[in-house]
């Protein structure tokens, strides 16, 4: 795996959008002060791929990914593995309740030739190629498949966390053994042993179940299956025999049914002929109809006579005059008398109203004159008040006059100062003015009241005059209308005659209505009688139609009683003839019934001979169905035994497989339970690891040092000192770094070789505290890294704040931090 580009925003100290471009950085250093965010760049690479960071204590506390007070963190890594380019993206957000969750995760395979420098820093999940994973769960498997290493092996081979670089070199044998178990995944054999033991137990339990099932199928033997097959063949023979015998049975039964039908037909004819009887009251029905028709004719004649009398009275009434005109003329006589009596009263009312109106007008004129006088007195009071004001002002000036001096108003010498009068002229004038105002108000009110009374009386006089004129006009109209009147007495006599004729007409109308009601009753009686007669004939026709197929004699439609007598006589004679035919038909039916019973008994014998109970049904289909059911049951019994036999064979085969599985699983569990197998694997792994590390160490030290192990302890062989063997704890800082780096590289190669996926170890990044090394050791470390980078088989990166080391690295990513966020700046090639 080789990183190409890293984009971050809101991730721990990188609050703002930050991009680190590794495209052509084969050997680089992340430099900067302590705490500036150098290791955070490596954390972002691990987080983008695996969703966690070594410094988070091995937990997946994604809340650590958010920058302080940030609500969202985005990380996108573009990397190359085995010649293919991928982009991994993770987004986490904090919701309103403070919970931090993964909002997006994805892995995409980029198309060939895609220029990563064209990517912006938005870090959205837009389509950058084929989607390999779209959820955190899918990311776990997809990243391991693309990178070739799980998280634990990735942090031991590609990104080596700070402080753990030389742990493996200086560890105790037991600790180193456990590290190898964890890194190389040797604990999988313990899991294999556990699963083998579980599989052996499961197979043993399944064997018990299979044995129980075999015991339950013990009845499905070959002999039982053969007996069931014989029984099936017998039932099929029975079915064939029954199907052969049933047609003969059906033939004799059909003959019996045919004879019985003929017998029943004769019996039905006898029953129909026996039911022909004359109903009671047939003769009275015709007599009642004739009497009803006679009554109806008499009622019709009475109606005609009453209508003629009513029409005669109606003519007399029309000749006597119009009662409405006579009544109207009489009402006008009465109105004329009333209007003549009221004329003098209306004239008196008008005269009284004229007098009252004149008196009111005189009183209003007097009140008006009094009002005008009061207004003149009020105007005089206003003038007096003005003069009093002038007098009071002049008196007020007297207080400023002095005898012998000039008057301030007229500028004339004052000889004598007049005496000051008692009281104020204005006050006296005000009292007179108030009295005049009150008198004027009273006079005005009296004048308005009398004027209103006069006007009201004038309107009343006008109304009474109009009423009197209207009364005289109506009296003239009524008098003119009575010019041709014969007089009240003559009118009253004519009205009396009209009243008498009207009563006579009413009586004639009542007589007509009574005659019509009698006619309707007679007609209803005719209808009832005729309906009864029709009902009687329908009854006759019904009875005759029931026996019409036997050829009854024709009926006289004018004589209902005679028709019944002829029909009943014929029916009795025909019934005597059919009595003999019915007896002969009954004997033939009995003979056919015997033949049917014999044929059925022969069929039932087939069932009893086959060991079956005789069917209870009487229908021919019941016999065939019973035989078919017996054959189906026999076939079902044979089929069930056959299936159970096959099940027993299947269980037997399954039991053999389970026995083999149990033996293999139990044997494998026993072998893996011993510690020798794991110890042998660890020794083999350690031999391979030391051999590879020794080869790398020789390359790094110019063939000076080799690495070996003895009883779990690491030693170095110094070829420049006659092959002296030294313990690793005696090495200097630079030598320790070289040995640890050789082990790290060999360990990464071993993990890649033992990985189940195609791991591509194309880079290694060391996050180690180089500041503790002296200048000589630091020079060795720098040379070692340069030699490693010069090999050209992988990208080499270091994380350091030591300038002496950083200056020797061709590409540097300087990391610095301000009060808000951290920044990354590339320096060098």
């Amino acid at each position: 795996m080789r990183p190409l580009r890293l984009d971050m925003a809101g991730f721990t100290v990188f609050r703002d959008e930050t991009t680190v471009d590794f495209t052509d950085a084969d050997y680089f250093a992340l430099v900067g002060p302590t705490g500036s965010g150098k290791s955070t760049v490596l954390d972002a690479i691990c987080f983008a791929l695996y969703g966690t960071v070594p410094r988070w204590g091995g937990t997946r506390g994604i809340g650590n990914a958010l920058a302080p007070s940030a609500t969202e963190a985005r990380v996108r890594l573009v990397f190359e593995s085995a010649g293919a380019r991928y982009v991994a993206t993770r987004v986490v957000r904090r919701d309103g309740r403070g919970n931090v969750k993964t909002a997006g995760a994805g892995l995409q395979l980029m198309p060939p030739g895609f220029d990563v420098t064209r990517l912006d820093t938005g870090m959205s999940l837009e389509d950058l190629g084929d989607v390999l994973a779209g959820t955190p769960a899918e990311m776990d498997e997809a990243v391991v498949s693309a990178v070739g290493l799980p998280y634990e092996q990735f942090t031991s081979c590609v990104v080596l966390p700070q402080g753990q670089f030389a742990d493996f070199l200086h560890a105790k044998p037991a600790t180193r053994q456990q590290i190898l178990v964890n890194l190389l995944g040797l604990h999988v054999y313990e899991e294999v042993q556990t699963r083998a033991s579980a599989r052996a137990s499961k197979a043993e339990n399944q064997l018990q179940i299979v044995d129980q099932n075999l015991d339950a199928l013990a009845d499905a033997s070959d002999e039982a299956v053969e007996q069931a097959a014989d029984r099936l063949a017998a039932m099929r023979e029975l079915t064939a025999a029954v199907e052969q015998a049933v047609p003969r049975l059906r033939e004799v039964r059909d003959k019996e049914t045919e004879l019985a039908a003929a017998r029943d037909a004769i019996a039905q004819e006898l029953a129909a002929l026996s039911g022909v009887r004359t109903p009671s009251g047939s003769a009275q029905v015709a007599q009642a109809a004739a009497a009803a028709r006679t009554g109806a004719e008499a009622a019709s004649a009475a109606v005609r006579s009453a209508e003629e009398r009513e029409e005669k009275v109606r003519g007399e009434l029309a000749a006597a005059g119009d009662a409405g005109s006579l009544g109207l003329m009489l009402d006008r006589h009465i109105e004329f008398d009333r209007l003549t009596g009221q004329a003098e009263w209306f004239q008196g009312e008008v005269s009284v109203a004229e007098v009252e109106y004149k008196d009111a007008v005189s009183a209003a004129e007097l009140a008006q004159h009094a009002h005008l006088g009061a207004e003149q007195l009020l105007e005089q009071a206003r003038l007096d008040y003005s003069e009093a004001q002038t007098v009071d002002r002049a008196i007020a000036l007297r207080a400023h006059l002095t005898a012998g001096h000039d008057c301030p108003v007229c500028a004339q010498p004052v000889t004598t100062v007049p005496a000051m009068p008692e009281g104020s002229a204005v006050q006296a004038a005000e009292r007179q003015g108030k009295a005049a105002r009150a008198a004027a108000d009273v006079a005005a009110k009296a004048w308005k009241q009398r004027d209103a009374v006069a006007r009201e009386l004038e309107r009343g006089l006008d109304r009474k005059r109009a009423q009197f004129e209207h009364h005289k006009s109506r009296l003239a109209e009524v008098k003119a209308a009575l010019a041709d009147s014969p007089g009240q007495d003559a009118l009253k006599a004519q009205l009396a005659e009209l009243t008498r004729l009207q009563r006579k007409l009413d009586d004639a109308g009542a007589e007509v209505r009574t005659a019509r009601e009698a006619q309707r009753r007679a007609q209803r009686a005719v209808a009832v009688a005729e309906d009864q007669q029709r009902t009687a004939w329908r009854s006759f026709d019904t009875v005759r139609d029931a026996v019409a197929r036997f050829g009854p004699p024709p009926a006289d439609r004018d004589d209902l009683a005679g028709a019944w007598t002829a029909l009943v006589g014929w029916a009795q004679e025909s019934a005597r003839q059919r009595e003999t035919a019915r007896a002969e038909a009954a004997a033939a039916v009995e003979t056919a019934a015997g033949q049917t019973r014999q044929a059925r008994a022969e069929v039932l014998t087939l069932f009893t001979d086959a060991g079956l109970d005789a069917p209870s049904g009487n229908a021919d289909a019941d016999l065939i169905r019973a035989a078919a059911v017996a054959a189906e049951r026999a076939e079902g019994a044979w089929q069930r035994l056959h299936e159970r036999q096959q099940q027993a064979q299947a269980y037997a085969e399954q039991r053999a497989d389970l026995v083999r599985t149990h033996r293999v699983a139990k044997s494998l569990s026993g072998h893996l339970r011993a510690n020798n197998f794991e110890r042998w694997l660890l020794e083999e792994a350690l031999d391979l690891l030391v051999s590879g590390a020794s080869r790398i160490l020789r390359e790094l030290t110019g063939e000076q040092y080799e690495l070996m192990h003895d009883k779990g302890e690491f030693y170095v062989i110094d070829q420049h000192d006659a092959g002296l063997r030294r313990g690793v704890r005696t090495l200097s800082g630079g030598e320790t770094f070289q040995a640890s780096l050789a082990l790290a590289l060999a360990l990464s190669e071993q993990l890649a070789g033992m990985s189940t996926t195609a791991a591509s170890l194309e880079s290694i990044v060391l996050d180690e505290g180089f500041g503790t090394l002296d200048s000589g050791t630091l020079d060795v470390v720098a040379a070692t890294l340069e030699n490693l980078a010069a090999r050209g088989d992988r990208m080499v990166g270091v994380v350091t704040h030591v300038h002496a080391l950083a200056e020797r690295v061709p590409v540097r990513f300087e990391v610095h931090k301000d009060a808000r966020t951290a920044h990354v700046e590339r320096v060098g090639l």
Side-chain angles (χ1 to χ4, degrees), residues 436-470:
R437 166 58 62 188
D441 292 342
V442 170
K445 184 177 180 180
W447 174 61
K448 290 179 180 179
Q449 290 177 348
R450 285 177 173 79
D451 185 66
V453 170
R455 292 179 183 280
E456 181 64 27
L457 290 174
E458 183 179 11
R459 286 192 293 271
L461 176 61
D462 291 341
R463 279 196 309 276
K464 290 182 179 181
R465 285 174 177 172
Q467 290 175 354
F468 181 59
E469 291 298 327
H470 175 73

Side-chain angles (χ1 to χ4, degrees), residues 263-290:
R263 178 201 60 194
D264 295 340
I266 295 174
Q268 291 176 358
E269 293 177 0
L270 272 173
L273 292 170
S274 299
V276 178
R277 297 185 180 85
T278 303
S280 59
S282 297
Q284 290 78 5
V285 169
Q287 296 175 358

Side-chain angles (χ1 to χ4, degrees), residues 218-355:
D219 60 327
S221 61
D222 294 339
E223 183 180 357
V225 173
E226 184 178 356
Q227 291 178 355
D230 294 340
R231 178 67 174 174
L232 174 60
M235 292 302 100
R236 288 176 175 172
E237 291 177 358
L238 171 64
T239 302
V242 171
E243 290 177 351
Q244 247 180 353
V246 163
R248 168 61 182 164
L249 174 61
R250 185 179 295 115
E251 181 181 351
V252 296
R253 180 176 284 115
D254 291 344
K255 183 177 180 181
E256 178 187 359
T257 303
E258 182 181 353
L259 293 173
R263 178 201 60 194
D264 295 340
I266 295 174
Q268 291 176 358
E269 293 177 0
L270 272 173
L273 292 170
S274 299
V276 178
R277 297 185 180 85
T278 303
S280 59
S282 297
Q284 290 78 5
V285 169
Q287 296 175 358
R293 284 192 288 270
T294 302
E297 292 175 356
S300 297
V303 168
R304 288 192 297 273
S305 176
E307 288 176 346
E308 291 174 356
R309 287 193 294 275
E310 180 187 24
E311 188 63 27
K312 180 180 179 181
V313 174
R314 194 181 302 278
E316 293 176 354
L317 181 62
D322 184 12
S325 299
L326 295 174
L328 179 61
M329 186 68 72
L330 184 62
D331 292 339
R332 286 181 178 176
H333 274 288
I334 296 173
E335 184 181 6
F336 180 79
D337 294 341
R338 178 177 59 77
L339 291 175
T340 302
Q342 291 177 347
E344 295 180 359
W345 179 83
F346 274 111
Q347 188 173 7
E349 286 290 312
V350 170
S351 299
V352 172
E354 290 176 345
V355 172

Side-chain angles (χ1 to χ4, degrees), residues 65-386:
L66 288 172
S69 73
T71 59
E72 181 179 85
R74 291 173 174 264
V75 179
R76 181 175 65 190
L77 174 66
V78 180
F79 64 94
E80 191 173 70
S81 180
R85 288 189 176 183
Y86 303 86
V87 56
T89 308
R90 287 188 188 267
V91 181
V92 297
R93 292 193 184 99
R94 179 185 287 113
D95 59 19
R97 293 178 293 184
N99 299 322
V100 179
K101 298 180 180 180
T102 300
L107 180 68
Q108 293 170 282
L109 176 62
M110 302 178 70
F114 188 89
D115 185 4
V116 298
T117 61
R118 292 168 52 196
L119 295 173
D120 58 15
T121 57
M123 285 164 287
S124 61
L125 295 177
E126 70 272 13
D127 186 9
L128 299 177
D130 296 336
V131 177
L132 305 179
T135 64
E138 295 175 352
M139 282 284 286
D140 294 340
E141 182 179 354
V143 167
V144 172
S145 177
V147 176
L149 294 173
Y151 169 73
E152 293 80 5
Q153 297 181 6
F154 180 81
T155 55
S156 300
C157 300
V158 180
V159 177
L160 282 70
Q162 183 177 353
Q164 301 180 16
F165 188 63
D167 287 352
F168 189 77
L169 180 66
H170 294 154
K172 294 180 180 180
T175 304
R176 188 180 299 116
Q177 178 177 337
Q178 187 60 43
I179 292 174
L180 283 174
V181 168
N182 294 334
L183 290 180
L184 300 178
L186 298 183
H187 57 275
V188 70
Y189 296 104
E190 181 180 353
E191 183 179 352
V192 171
Q193 187 274 330
T194 302
R195 292 188 179 182
S197 179
R199 181 172 295 182
S201 299
K202 180 180 179 181
E204 186 175 2
N205 294 333
Q206 290 178 338
L207 274 173
Q208 294 178 359
I209 296 174
V210 169
D211 289 339
Q212 292 175 359
N213 292 333
L214 285 173
D215 292 340
L217 296 172
D219 60 327
S221 61
D222 294 339
E223 183 180 357
V225 173
E226 184 178 356
Q227 291 178 355
D230 294 340
R231 178 67 174 174
L232 174 60
M235 292 302 100
R236 288 176 175 172
E237 291 177 358
L238 171 64
T239 302
V242 171
E243 290 177 351
Q244 247 180 353
V246 163
R248 168 61 182 164
L249 174 61
R250 185 179 295 115
E251 181 181 351
V252 296
R253 180 176 284 115
D254 291 344
K255 183 177 180 181
E256 178 187 359
T257 303
E258 182 181 353
L259 293 173
R263 178 201 60 194
D264 295 340
I266 295 174
Q268 291 176 358
E269 293 177 0
L270 272 173
L273 292 170
S274 299
V276 178
R277 297 185 180 85
T278 303
S280 59
S282 297
Q284 290 78 5
V285 169
Q287 296 175 358
R293 284 192 288 270
T294 302
E297 292 175 356
S300 297
V303 168
R304 288 192 297 273
S305 176
E307 288 176 346
E308 291 174 356
R309 287 193 294 275
E310 180 187 24
E311 188 63 27
K312 180 180 179 181
V313 174
R314 194 181 302 278
E316 293 176 354
L317 181 62
D322 184 12
S325 299
L326 295 174
L328 179 61
M329 186 68 72
L330 184 62
D331 292 339
R332 286 181 178 176
H333 274 288
I334 296 173
E335 184 181 6
F336 180 79
D337 294 341
R338 178 177 59 77
L339 291 175
T340 302
Q342 291 177 347
E344 295 180 359
W345 179 83
F346 274 111
Q347 188 173 7
E349 286 290 312
V350 170
S351 299
V352 172
E354 290 176 345
V355 172
E356 290 178 348
Y357 170 68
K358 291 178 180 180
D359 292 342
V361 169
S362 299
E365 291 176 351
L366 292 175
Q368 186 178 17
H369 292 315
H371 171 64
L372 293 175
E375 288 290 332
Q376 292 175 354
L377 292 175
L378 178 61
E379 184 63 24
Q380 185 62 42
R382 291 193 183 99
L383 295 174
D384 293 343
Y385 180 74
S386 298

